[in-house]
Amino acid sequence: MKISQIPEIKRLSLNEVIITIKNLKLNSFQFFENPNLLNLQSSLYHLWLIDLLDSNGDLTKDGLFSIELGMPSVFSKLILNSIRMKCSDKCLTLIGILSNYSTINITKSFLLKEFLHEKNQFILRAELLIKMEVFYRWKFSNFSVSWAIKNGQDLKSLMNIRKIRKHLKYQLLKCNLKLNTSMFYTTSLLKSITSIYFMNTSILVKDNIYMTLISGIRGYFDSSKQSIQKGCKPKLLLFCELLINDRIRFLNTIGIKIHWILKYGNKVFRTKLNNQNNL
């Protein structure tokens, strides 16, 4: 059976379905077609890992607040964490990039050379931050069409990110949440991403090949496309998206530090390390 013929309930994340059912406080729920049990368990586990469900399977305060925000659960939690870490304004742009399947070009533009010169090596390891920089350069040009064309950017993609930002701002305003971003937002933003996507942490195996710490999946990180200079590949890489065609590729990546995943992913990584020590 082709993937497109498999019902969505059996192949997509059930995060939003679970949160909705929990919010309605239904004791039982009859699906039109039963979901895949492994998929259901995986979604419950993921919601618990990012603290939207407690150990009893009930919605936490963040889980209830994600309902009010009216966004996908992962993005809701990302925004809540970014507010705590004082980088929420930048986080809206980040979500725009992730939810837009952005085609921001980070290789052809002359502005990248300026960016490479201005930023330190650790920041260069974050593809997402470079894409954000492209968006803000376009914003500083007063959203100029000619700037986008001159720098080889997809204007529609940039406009979609701007549209998503406006929508998210409106949603936050409805929930009486104020945007905040400190002067030193970069590390806070990287930590916010890590606090949600820590399950996708991968370690450098050789050349441009990384292996995920949890599932052992191996994928490619095209450093030339990410404009990472030779010798600057991060030992630990976190990806937000996977592309599977001729081979598995890790997309929308950031370089992270070991103590970040031990802090934000302690539920899974500390257990994993303890199990290894007991063997």
Side-chain angles (χ1 to χ4, degrees), residues 4-257:
S4 59
Q5 295 175 330
I6 300 174
E8 288 189 2
I9 194 71
K10 291 185 178 293
R11 58 187 169 87
L12 297 181
S13 170
L14 299 175
N15 286 13
E16 315 317 317
V17 175
I18 291 171
I19 285 182
T20 301
I21 292 174
K22 294 288 185 181
N23 185 52
L24 294 173
K25 298 181 179 180
L26 299 177
N27 294 323
S28 62
F29 183 82
Q30 183 64 48
F31 288 97
F32 181 74
E33 186 163 355
N34 289 332
N36 181 285
L37 180 59
L38 185 60
N39 193 12
L40 180 62
Q41 292 173 335
S42 177
S43 294
L44 284 166
Y45 182 57
H46 182 240
L47 291 172
W48 173 72
L49 284 177
I50 61 176
D51 295 322
L52 293 182
L53 292 181
D54 61 23
S55 56
N56 294 320
D58 297 323
L59 288 173
T60 61
K61 289 183 179 180
D62 283 0
L64 291 169
F65 212 71
S66 70
I67 299 287
E68 291 185 43
L69 287 175
M71 305 174 197
S73 56
V74 170
F75 291 157
S76 296
K77 181 64 177 180
L78 183 57
I79 286 180
L80 289 172
N81 285 355
S82 69
I83 290 173
R84 293 170 180 135
M85 298 185 195
K86 298 182 179 179
C87 57
S88 56
D89 183 67
K90 301 295 181 182
C91 185
L92 299 190
T93 305
L94 171 69
I95 292 175
I97 292 171
L98 292 176
S99 60
N100 186 46
Y101 299 101
S102 172
T103 54
I104 288 181
N105 189 328
I106 62 173
T107 59
K108 293 183 179 179
S109 176
F110 71 89
L111 65 85
L112 184 60
K113 294 181 179 179
E114 300 175 15
F115 186 70
L116 292 173
H117 177 71
E118 293 171 3
K119 305 294 181 181
N120 64 54
Q121 291 300 314
F122 185 73
I123 303 306
L124 294 184
R125 300 173 187 180
E127 175 197 358
L128 277 173
L129 295 190
I130 299 177
K131 287 186 175 183
M132 286 178 60
E133 182 73 9
V134 173
F135 175 81
Y136 284 111
R137 297 282 177 115
W138 177 60
K139 179 181 178 181
F140 295 149
S141 74
N142 199 24
F143 306 108
S144 167
V145 173
S146 60
W147 184 96
I149 295 173
K150 180 181 177 181
N151 287 277
Q153 300 301 324
D154 178 17
L155 183 61
K156 183 178 180 180
S157 183
L158 291 171
M159 291 177 69
N160 282 340
I161 294 172
R162 185 185 181 191
K163 182 179 179 181
I164 290 170
R165 271 185 56 87
K166 286 184 176 180
H167 172 71
L168 293 177
K169 278 187 175 181
Y170 174 72
Q171 289 295 104
L172 292 177
L173 185 63
K174 283 173 58 179
C175 295
N176 296 317
L177 290 176
K178 293 183 179 180
L179 293 177
N180 54 29
T181 294
S182 66
M183 291 179 61
F184 308 101
Y185 71 87
T186 303
T187 301
S188 296
L189 189 59
L190 292 176
K191 287 181 179 179
S192 296
I193 299 169
T194 305
S195 71
I196 303 301
Y197 292 96
F198 55 83
M199 290 287 286
N200 296 341
T201 301
S202 308
I203 190 168
L204 180 64
V205 179
K206 62 176 182 178
D207 298 328
N208 290 339
I209 301 176
Y210 284 79
M211 181 178 71
T212 57
L213 294 180
I214 301 298
S215 59
I217 295 174
R218 295 196 176 202
Y220 285 84
F221 168 63
D222 295 328
S223 59
S224 59
K225 291 185 178 181
Q226 318 307 332
S227 302
I228 308 300
Q229 296 176 341
K230 188 176 181 180
C232 292
K233 300 184 197 69
K235 291 182 180 180
L236 283 176
L237 185 79
L238 187 149
F239 64 89
C240 297
E241 294 178 14
L242 273 177
L243 176 64
I244 303 176
N245 40 36
D246 57 323
R247 58 185 181 180
I248 298 175
R249 300 174 190 271
F250 295 157
L251 304 178
N252 285 329
T253 58
I254 63 171
I256 60 175
K257 297 181 179 179

Side-chain angles (χ1 to χ4, degrees), residues 252-265:
N252 285 329
T253 58
I254 63 171
I256 60 175
K257 297 181 179 179
I258 183 67
H259 60 273
W260 293 358
I261 63 168
L262 291 177
K263 178 179 179 180
Y264 300 111

